[in-house]
Amino acid sequence: MVGTNLKAEIMSLMEKRSALEADMNAIIDRLCQSNGPGLSGNLVDSEGFPRTDIDIHLVRSERRRLAELRNDHKEITEKINENIQLLHSARLVPVPTSAKDSGDDGGSNNQNPSILGTVQSASFNNAVPRNSPAAMDVDVIIRRPFAVIDEITDASPAAEDGLQLGDQVLKFGTVEAGDNLLERLAAEGRKNQGNGVPVVIMRQGGLINLAVTPRPWQGRGLLGCHFRML
Protein backbone atom coordinates (compact mmCIF):
# COMPACT_ATOMS: atom_id res chain seq x y z
CA MET A 1 0.00 0.00 0.00
CA VAL A 2 2.86 2.37 0.85
CA GLY A 3 4.54 1.71 -2.50
CA THR A 4 1.25 2.24 -4.36
CA ASN A 5 0.60 5.55 -2.62
CA LEU A 6 4.14 6.76 -3.22
CA LYS A 7 4.04 5.89 -6.90
CA ALA A 8 0.71 7.65 -7.30
CA GLU A 9 2.14 10.74 -5.62
CA ILE A 10 5.24 10.59 -7.83
CA MET A 11 3.15 10.44 -10.99
CA SER A 12 1.02 13.35 -9.76
CA LEU A 13 4.13 15.42 -9.04
CA MET A 14 5.53 14.59 -12.47
CA GLU A 15 2.35 15.85 -14.10
CA LYS A 16 2.61 19.08 -12.12
CA ARG A 17 6.27 19.43 -13.10
CA SER A 18 5.43 18.92 -16.78
CA ALA A 19 2.80 21.65 -16.53
CA LEU A 20 5.36 23.97 -14.94
CA GLU A 21 7.85 23.21 -17.72
CA ALA A 22 5.24 24.01 -20.35
CA ASP A 23 4.53 27.36 -18.68
CA MET A 24 8.25 28.10 -18.37
CA ASN A 25 8.92 27.28 -22.02
CA ALA A 26 6.01 29.48 -23.11
CA ILE A 27 7.45 32.43 -21.20
CA ILE A 28 10.93 31.77 -22.57
CA ASP A 29 9.55 31.68 -26.12
CA ARG A 30 7.83 35.02 -25.63
CA LEU A 31 10.85 36.71 -24.07
CA CYS A 32 13.31 35.30 -26.62
CA GLN A 33 11.29 35.98 -29.77
CA SER A 34 12.83 38.12 -32.50
CA ASN A 35 13.85 41.54 -31.14
CA GLY A 36 12.70 40.45 -27.70
CA PRO A 37 14.57 41.34 -24.49
CA GLY A 38 15.56 37.76 -23.73
CA LEU A 39 15.80 36.45 -20.19
CA SER A 40 18.22 39.08 -18.95
CA GLY A 41 18.58 41.70 -21.71
CA ASN A 42 18.57 45.41 -20.97
CA LEU A 43 15.27 47.23 -20.69
CA VAL A 44 16.86 50.58 -21.50
CA ASP A 45 18.43 51.80 -24.72
CA SER A 46 22.02 52.90 -25.32
CA GLU A 47 21.20 56.35 -23.94
CA GLY A 48 19.70 55.00 -20.74
CA PHE A 49 16.06 55.60 -21.63
CA PRO A 50 13.36 52.90 -21.32
CA ARG A 51 13.07 50.91 -24.51
CA THR A 52 10.04 51.83 -26.58
CA ASP A 53 9.96 48.64 -28.65
CA ILE A 54 8.88 46.39 -25.77
CA ASP A 55 6.31 46.40 -22.98
CA ILE A 56 8.67 46.85 -20.02
CA HIS A 57 5.98 46.18 -17.41
CA LEU A 58 5.01 42.94 -19.15
CA VAL A 59 8.65 41.83 -19.52
CA ARG A 60 9.30 42.39 -15.81
CA SER A 61 6.13 40.51 -14.95
CA GLU A 62 7.12 37.59 -17.21
CA ARG A 63 10.62 37.41 -15.75
CA ARG A 64 9.25 37.49 -12.22
CA ARG A 65 6.78 34.74 -13.03
CA LEU A 66 9.55 32.66 -14.62
CA ALA A 67 11.62 32.95 -11.44
CA GLU A 68 8.64 31.77 -9.38
CA LEU A 69 8.07 28.82 -11.71
CA ARG A 70 11.74 27.85 -11.48
CA ASN A 71 11.53 27.78 -7.68
CA ASP A 72 8.37 25.66 -7.82
CA HIS A 73 10.04 23.34 -10.35
CA LYS A 74 13.05 22.88 -8.07
CA GLU A 75 10.86 22.08 -5.04
CA ILE A 76 8.76 19.55 -6.96
CA THR A 77 11.87 17.88 -8.40
CA GLU A 78 13.36 17.52 -4.91
CA LYS A 79 10.10 16.01 -3.64
CA ILE A 80 10.01 13.55 -6.54
CA ASN A 81 13.55 12.43 -5.81
CA GLU A 82 12.74 12.00 -2.10
CA ASN A 83 9.72 9.86 -2.92
CA ILE A 84 11.71 7.76 -5.39
CA GLN A 85 14.27 7.02 -2.69
CA LEU A 86 11.51 6.07 -0.25
CA LEU A 87 9.87 3.85 -2.86
CA HIS A 88 13.09 2.02 -3.58
CA SER A 89 13.90 1.64 0.11
CA ALA A 90 10.52 0.02 0.68
CA ARG A 91 11.03 -2.38 -2.23
CA LEU A 92 14.57 -3.37 -1.26
CA VAL A 93 13.93 -4.17 2.42
CA PRO A 94 15.75 -7.47 3.14
CA VAL A 95 13.51 -10.44 3.99
CA PRO A 96 13.77 -11.36 7.70
CA THR A 97 15.59 -14.59 8.47
CA SER A 98 12.47 -16.01 10.11
CA ALA A 99 10.59 -15.62 6.83
CA LYS A 100 13.33 -17.25 4.79
CA ASP A 101 13.90 -20.20 7.15
CA SER A 102 10.30 -21.01 7.97
CA GLY A 103 9.81 -23.63 5.27
CA ASP A 104 8.75 -26.30 7.82
CA ASP A 105 6.41 -23.98 9.71
CA GLY A 106 3.04 -24.76 8.23
CA GLY A 107 1.39 -21.52 9.32
CA SER A 108 4.05 -19.14 8.09
CA ASN A 109 4.93 -20.54 4.69
CA ASN A 110 2.26 -18.72 2.68
CA GLN A 111 4.57 -16.16 1.08
CA ASN A 112 4.90 -16.24 -2.68
CA PRO A 113 8.36 -17.79 -3.36
CA SER A 114 8.85 -15.73 -6.52
CA ILE A 115 8.29 -12.50 -4.60
CA LEU A 116 10.69 -13.54 -1.85
CA GLY A 117 13.29 -14.51 -4.43
CA THR A 118 13.06 -11.15 -6.15
CA VAL A 119 13.41 -9.20 -2.91
CA GLN A 120 16.29 -11.35 -1.67
CA SER A 121 18.15 -11.06 -4.98
CA ALA A 122 17.73 -7.29 -5.13
CA SER A 123 18.90 -6.86 -1.55
CA PHE A 124 21.85 -9.18 -1.99
CA ASN A 125 23.15 -7.39 -5.07
CA ASN A 126 22.29 -3.91 -3.72
CA ALA A 127 20.74 -3.14 -7.10
CA VAL A 128 17.31 -2.81 -8.64
CA PRO A 129 16.43 -5.54 -11.17
CA ARG A 130 16.43 -3.94 -14.60
CA ASN A 131 12.89 -4.97 -15.49
CA SER A 132 11.32 -4.30 -12.11
CA PRO A 133 8.83 -1.46 -11.49
CA ALA A 134 11.48 0.26 -9.38
CA ALA A 135 13.90 0.27 -12.28
CA MET A 136 11.25 1.77 -14.53
CA ASP A 137 10.67 4.52 -11.97
CA VAL A 138 14.38 5.28 -11.97
CA ASP A 139 14.42 5.46 -15.77
CA VAL A 140 11.60 7.99 -15.74
CA ILE A 141 13.63 10.26 -13.49
CA ILE A 142 16.91 9.75 -15.35
CA ARG A 143 15.29 10.59 -18.67
CA ARG A 144 14.07 13.96 -17.49
CA PRO A 145 15.67 16.95 -19.25
CA PHE A 146 18.34 18.71 -17.23
CA ALA A 147 18.65 21.85 -19.37
CA VAL A 148 16.78 23.93 -21.92
CA ILE A 149 18.23 26.00 -24.76
CA ASP A 150 16.97 29.49 -24.00
CA GLU A 151 19.20 31.40 -26.44
CA ILE A 152 20.60 30.38 -29.82
CA THR A 153 22.28 32.44 -32.53
CA ASP A 154 21.47 32.10 -36.21
CA ALA A 155 24.22 30.45 -38.29
CA SER A 156 25.91 29.17 -35.14
CA PRO A 157 27.18 25.57 -34.94
CA ALA A 158 24.28 24.68 -32.65
CA ALA A 159 21.71 26.09 -35.09
CA GLU A 160 23.33 24.58 -38.16
CA ASP A 161 23.50 21.16 -36.51
CA GLY A 162 19.80 21.14 -35.69
CA LEU A 163 19.33 22.56 -32.19
CA GLN A 164 16.44 24.98 -31.71
CA LEU A 165 15.27 27.48 -29.13
CA GLY A 166 13.31 25.70 -26.42
CA ASP A 167 14.90 22.27 -26.97
CA GLN A 168 15.17 20.39 -23.69
CA VAL A 169 18.44 18.51 -23.26
CA LEU A 170 18.45 14.99 -21.82
CA LYS A 171 22.00 14.11 -22.81
CA PHE A 172 24.97 16.00 -24.21
CA GLY A 173 27.84 13.63 -24.85
CA THR A 174 28.62 12.07 -21.48
CA VAL A 175 26.66 14.70 -19.56
CA GLU A 176 23.22 13.57 -18.42
CA ALA A 177 22.67 14.74 -14.85
CA GLY A 178 24.46 15.56 -11.62
CA ASP A 179 26.29 18.57 -10.24
CA ASN A 180 28.27 21.35 -11.96
CA LEU A 181 26.36 20.79 -15.19
CA LEU A 182 27.32 24.08 -16.85
CA GLU A 183 31.02 23.46 -16.24
CA ARG A 184 30.72 19.88 -17.48
CA LEU A 185 28.87 20.98 -20.62
CA ALA A 186 31.59 23.51 -21.40
CA ALA A 187 34.30 20.90 -20.79
CA GLU A 188 32.49 18.40 -23.00
CA GLY A 189 32.37 20.95 -25.81
CA ARG A 190 36.07 21.82 -25.52
CA LYS A 191 37.07 18.17 -25.33
CA ASN A 192 35.15 17.34 -28.50
CA GLN A 193 36.03 20.39 -30.58
CA GLY A 194 35.73 19.38 -34.22
CA ASN A 195 34.01 16.10 -33.40
CA GLY A 196 30.33 15.25 -33.38
CA VAL A 197 28.79 15.06 -29.90
CA PRO A 198 25.71 12.83 -29.53
CA VAL A 199 22.86 14.89 -28.13
CA VAL A 200 19.42 13.72 -27.04
CA ILE A 201 16.75 16.41 -26.83
CA MET A 202 13.03 16.62 -26.22
CA ARG A 203 11.10 18.80 -28.66
CA GLN A 204 7.32 19.13 -28.56
CA GLY A 205 7.05 15.99 -26.47
CA GLY A 206 9.20 13.80 -28.76
CA LEU A 207 12.78 12.59 -28.38
CA ILE A 208 15.30 13.56 -31.06
CA ASN A 209 18.89 12.35 -31.49
CA LEU A 210 21.38 14.79 -32.99
CA ALA A 211 25.11 15.08 -33.51
CA VAL A 212 26.39 18.56 -32.68
CA THR A 213 29.98 19.51 -33.53
CA PRO A 214 31.54 22.21 -31.31
CA ARG A 215 33.72 24.39 -33.53
CA PRO A 216 35.04 27.93 -33.94
CA TRP A 217 32.78 30.31 -35.82
CA GLN A 218 32.37 34.05 -36.16
CA GLY A 219 30.55 34.33 -32.81
CA ARG A 220 31.44 33.54 -29.23
CA GLY A 221 32.09 30.06 -27.90
CA LEU A 222 32.04 26.81 -29.80
CA LEU A 223 28.28 26.31 -30.06
CA GLY A 224 26.55 29.69 -30.13
CA CYS A 225 23.76 28.77 -27.73
CA HIS A 226 23.00 29.07 -24.03
CA PHE A 227 21.89 26.27 -21.74
CA ARG A 228 19.66 27.05 -18.77
CA MET A 229 19.64 24.39 -16.08
CA LEU A 230 16.25 23.02 -15.05
Side-chain angles (χ1 to χ4, degrees), residues 82-160:
E82 290 175 5
N83 284 352
I84 286 291
Q85 293 300 320
L86 290 173
L87 183 63
H88 293 173
S89 297
R91 284 173 171 166
L92 297 181
V93 173
V95 179
T97 303
S98 60
K100 290 188 292 184
D101 298 337
S102 58
D104 296 330
D105 187 344
S108 60
N109 193 30
N110 294 324
Q111 292 92 341
N112 187 325
S114 63
I115 295 177
L116 290 178
T118 300
V119 175
Q120 293 168 8
S121 175
S123 302
F124 178 80
N125 293 304
N126 194 29
V128 182
R130 188 61 188 169
N131 294 324
S132 72
M136 287 184 279
D137 290 339
V138 175
D139 287 342
V140 170
I141 296 301
I142 290 176
R143 300 301 292 179
R144 300 296 295 186
F146 66 85
V148 61
I149 297 177
D150 59 4
E151 293 180 24
I152 188 166
T153 305
D154 291 340
S156 65
E160 290 184 347

Side-chain angles (χ1 to χ4, degrees), residues 154-155 216-220:
D154 291 340
W217 62 297
Q218 62 182 5
R220 296 178 57 185

